[in-house]
Amino acid sequence: MFTTTLPRQSLTGDLFMAINELKRELNAVILAHYYQDPDIQDIADYLGDSLGLSQQAATTDAEVIVFAGVHFMAETAKILNPDKLVLLPDLNAGCSLADSCPPEAFATFKAKHPDHLVVSYINCSAEIKAMSDIICTSSNAVKIIRQIPEEQPIIFAPDRNLGRYVMEQTGRNLVLWQGSCIVHETFCEKSLVQLQIQHPEAEIIAHPECEPSVLRHANYIGSTTALLKYSQQSSKSAFIVATEPGIIHQMEKRAPQKRFIPAPGLNNCACNECPYMRLNTLEKVYLAMKNREPEITLSPKLIAAARGPIQRMLELS
Ligand code: 13P
Ligand code: SF4
């Protein structure tokens, strides 16, 4: 048991013990994204980007998956494991990008391009996955598009920024759904340039969900895992990080001698923190495991329709 009168450090220690105990009891695995709070990252069995997390979900032999991430990530784990209990500590942990692509509107859009193959970024609902041919993530989008024959027209949904970046990298013309992420769209070019002038020793590293005005200043662009690896391997000692700042916890852990500066939002706001990812807390992870809820549930029909496109991605990665 834990009590709120304890200082945070010992409360966290108690929660870690209680969660580890529940992990054994339930035969559970905790999968966490880099944007989660540091405490959650530290208790996770596996920490990764969207691709790594799907690969882990596809191969785990645990009976219960506790997904410390957002709804579309936990949904993907459920689609890959229909018979397992998949817990999401806070069911309101959604995603603005997934919300920017409502299924009905997307069905109409798709109908206007009947000869197009649909490649969807994993940051979308199960319904959009079911309407897609192949799913991709930020770490394999370029690789997957390159494997599609040149003459095949393609719809890319829902992120227009990742779509534009993939078009640049591959030279392909993609029909883009105009969705975006509220977090990655808040980075401000003017403040970024000012910050770089203050830290000329720092390299700018950015996630491809950022707008082109930010990406054009980046020394390196990649998924969260790619940014983490790059910051470890680069000879530079400082980095301006243009993605959700949760990842800085891992960057600092893996390269403690280096300096990581979060890229600024508009008027230096703190809006670069993903409000959905941050809904999960260590306390909610504990409660979800204790109560075996909130659980992700999807109809067998939707699972069957969404599974093929995800599996195609895993094969092509
Ligand atoms: P990654 O594929 O890099 O994990 O990105 C997930 C995400 O939600 C970025 O906003
Ligand atoms: Fe969605 Fe953006 Fe949050 Fe990623 S950072 S989960 S894309 S809202």
Side-chain angles (χ1 to χ4, degrees):
M1 273 303 285
F2 61 92
T3 132
T4 44
T5 53
L6 288 170
R8 177 75 200 160
Q9 210 178 2
S10 90
L11 188 60
T12 303
D14 282 0
L15 277 167
F16 269 47
M17 277 200 300
I19 289 171
N20 280 327
E21 186 59 41
L22 283 166
K23 248 199 260 182
R24 279 187 291 274
E25 215 176 279
L26 297 176
N27 183 18
V29 67
I30 302 179
L31 306 181
H33 191 270
Y34 296 119
Y35 294 166
Q36 293 290 281
D37 285 347
D39 289 345
I40 299 182
Q41 295 190 30
D42 293 344
I43 192 90
D45 297 294
Y46 177 84
L47 189 61
D49 67 359
S50 303
L51 177 62
L53 289 165
S54 323
Q55 287 166 332
Q56 286 296 317
T59 53
T60 184
D61 48 22
E63 285 167 64
V64 175
I65 299 175
V66 183
F67 214 112
V70 290
H71 199 274
F72 76 82
M73 296 177 175
E75 251 182 10
T76 304
K78 181 68 182 176
I79 292 163
L80 291 166
N81 297 280
D83 300 328
K84 290 185 181 175
L85 176 65
V86 178
L87 300 170
L88 180 63
D90 191 320
L91 272 190
N92 291 320
C95 168
S96 63
L97 183 49
D99 291 347
S100 72
C101 194
E104 265 185 39
F106 187 69
T108 309
F109 179 76
K110 190 183 156 183
K112 287 187 186 144
H113 304 90
D115 54 340
H116 284 52
L117 199 81
V118 179
V119 179
S120 295
Y121 187 30
I122 199 162
N123 297 36
C124 64
S125 64
E127 287 80 3
I128 299 294
K129 288 184 175 78
M131 280 187 249
S132 306
D133 296 293
I134 313 174
I135 300 304
C136 70
T137 75
S138 57
S139 54
N140 60 20
V142 169
K143 187 174 176 186
I144 285 178
I145 296 292
R146 284 200 177 123
Q147 292 178 68
I148 299 170
E150 288 277 341
E151 61 285 0
Q152 172 63 57
I154 302 168
I155 289 176
F156 188 91
D159 189 27
R160 63 177 174 211
N161 291 323
L162 177 63
R164 268 195 228 110
Y165 172 73
V166 173
M167 280 167 75
E168 266 172 40
Q169 295 297 306
T170 61
R172 296 288 291 266
N173 187 28
L174 309 176
V175 175
L176 301 181
W177 177 266
Q178 295 296 315
S180 61
C181 154
I182 50 165
V183 174
H184 287 84
E185 289 224 317
T186 58
F187 294 116
C188 168
E189 182 183 21
K190 189 173 157 205
S191 313
L192 182 68
V193 171
Q194 286 168 350
L195 194 63
Q196 196 178 32
I197 292 167
Q198 286 166 30
H199 301 279
E201 76 291 0
E203 277 191 315
I204 297 177
I205 57 176
H207 195 280
E209 282 178 26
C210 294
E211 290 199 311
S213 59
V214 166
L215 291 183
R216 70 192 160 110
H217 298 283
N219 300 93
Y220 182 79
I221 297 168
S223 74
T224 45
T225 295
L227 297 179
L228 182 60
K229 280 194 189 142
Y230 180 81
S231 66
Q232 285 174 267
Q233 287 159 4
S234 163
S235 59
K236 297 283 176 175
S237 60
F239 302 87
I240 297 173
V241 183
T243 192
E244 215 276 358
I247 193 164
I248 292 180
H249 176 60
Q250 278 315 302
M251 289 175 168
E252 287 173 340
K253 264 177 105 168
R254 298 191 196 185
Q257 75 288 3
K258 296 189 178 185
R259 190 147 173 248
F260 300 96
I261 308 156
L266 283 174
N267 304 319
N268 291 313
C269 65
C271 34
N272 52 3
E273 283 190 6
C274 175
Y276 307 99
M277 287 277 182
R278 302 306 172 118
L279 283 177
N280 293 326
T281 60
L282 198 59
E283 285 79 0
K284 288 183 196 171
V285 170
Y286 164 74
L287 289 172
M289 294 174 80
K290 184 169 165 265
N291 301 327
R292 291 148 176 73
E293 60 172 22
E295 179 188 357
I296 298 285
T297 53
L298 293 168
S299 75
K301 197 172 158 210
L302 187 54
I303 289 181
R307 201 181 163 101
I310 299 172
Q311 259 164 348
R312 236 158 273 141
M313 168 186 83
L314 295 173
E315 284 154 23
L316 295 173
S317 296

